[in-house]
Amino acid sequence: MPSDLPPRCAACVARGMALCGGLGERELAALHRIGRRRRLSAGQALGWAGDPATSCANLVSGVLKVSRMETDGRVQIVGLLYPGDFVGTLFAERSVDTITALSDADLCVYPRQTLEELLVRHPATGRLLLRRTLATLAEARRWMPMLARARAEARVAALLIDLARRCDADAQGGFQLPLSRGAMAEALGLAVETVSRNMTAFQDEGLIAISGLRGVRLIAPIRLTAIAS
């Protein structure tokens, strides 16, 4: 029997990690009908805090940062979003956070109200989305204490561990960084020179191996975890 799966969905590398991965073909086709593809360049915002919450999305590729204005006027990064993560907030009239691309990104974007109506018609989809949203919130809770640490080396170590986990490092701990040094610095609230200096120090100490511009292998992840904690 021929599949009704939309070609873009069939070819999507993030499908197994995203909300879509748990949907049947009928539900997936319904979701696809209300969605559209959107690409963001590094530094481009998907939405700003306080704006009307008109859309939500699944992140297909790239990395996004989630930032929030504190009461004292400081901008605090409260999380990173990776391929497969759900972007945005349902059942809210205005966006709480600003979402910005740290790298070039590809998303499937859905009108918020239309998506909410679809979830009412497909309760199983709503339950899957709830689980995805709770997982994303759990990631943010892990991320915020790390950003509050004063030591730069702890922040860099924690980010490397997080990236290795989210980027599916191989059995030897190797993976390709999805972020430039500048984007890493932006995510951590550090100067790019500080990030580069700590990466070089970790390599000199035998904790990581760096190959080319983006290749990294965690040689001593337990020691890195101790630095990050």
Side-chain angles (χ1 to χ4, degrees):
M1 178 181 296
S3 173
D4 293 327
L5 197 64
R8 174 164 161 77
C9 299
C12 178
V13 295
R15 183 186 168 209
M17 301 177 287
L19 161 70
C20 316
L23 302 181
E25 290 192 5
R26 184 172 67 91
E27 291 82 7
L28 188 58
L31 187 64
H32 179 78
R33 281 194 294 272
I34 69 170
R36 61 182 176 86
R37 185 175 186 174
R38 181 171 178 187
R39 293 182 181 274
L40 296 178
S41 300
Q44 184 177 359
L46 177 66
W48 298 89
D51 283 354
T54 58
S55 62
C56 297
N58 278 327
L59 181 58
V60 176
S61 67
V63 180
L64 307 179
K65 73 170 181 178
V66 183
S67 55
R68 185 173 299 172
M69 180 76 74
E70 301 294 342
T71 54
D72 60 4
R74 291 182 300 110
V75 176
Q76 175 70 59
I77 298 172
V78 297
L80 295 182
L81 299 175
Y82 296 90
D85 284 343
F86 185 77
V87 185
T89 305
L90 291 167
F91 307 105
E93 294 301 318
R94 294 197 173 271
S95 300
V96 176
D97 303 314
T98 296
I99 310 293
T100 311
L102 282 174
S103 66
D104 292 347
D106 185 13
L107 305 99
C108 285
V109 180
Y110 314 102
R112 178 182 62 82
Q113 290 186 336
T114 307
L115 178 59
E116 291 171 358
E117 293 166 3
L118 184 146
L119 296 178
V120 171
R121 295 195 302 272
H122 299 277
T125 306
R127 289 192 292 271
L128 284 169
L129 180 55
L130 176 60
R131 288 200 292 269
R132 292 296 309 168
T133 302
L134 291 175
T136 301
L137 286 172
E139 292 292 336
R141 292 191 187 100
R142 287 192 328 102
W143 183 254
M144 285 187 282
M146 185 269 286
L147 286 175
R149 296 187 180 98
R151 293 182 301 123
E153 65 173 359
R155 300 188 190 190
V156 177
L159 179 57
L160 288 173
I161 293 167
D162 192 58
L163 289 172
R165 182 177 61 85
R166 296 300 303 269
C167 296
D168 293 325
D170 61 28
Q172 287 73 45
F175 64 100
Q176 291 292 311
L177 285 170
L179 302 174
S180 66
R181 296 289 192 275
M184 292 173 65
E186 183 179 352
L188 295 171
L190 300 171
V192 64
E193 295 82 6
T194 302
V195 171
S196 295
R197 184 168 60 249
N198 277 278
M199 294 279 286
T200 300
F202 290 159
Q203 179 170 242
D204 292 344
E205 294 167 17
L207 304 181
I208 66 173
I210 300 173
S211 58
L213 293 176
R214 298 290 182 96
V216 174
R217 181 165 62 90
L218 304 190
I219 298 173
I222 295 176
R223 290 177 60 193
L224 281 172
T225 301
I227 293 171
S229 61

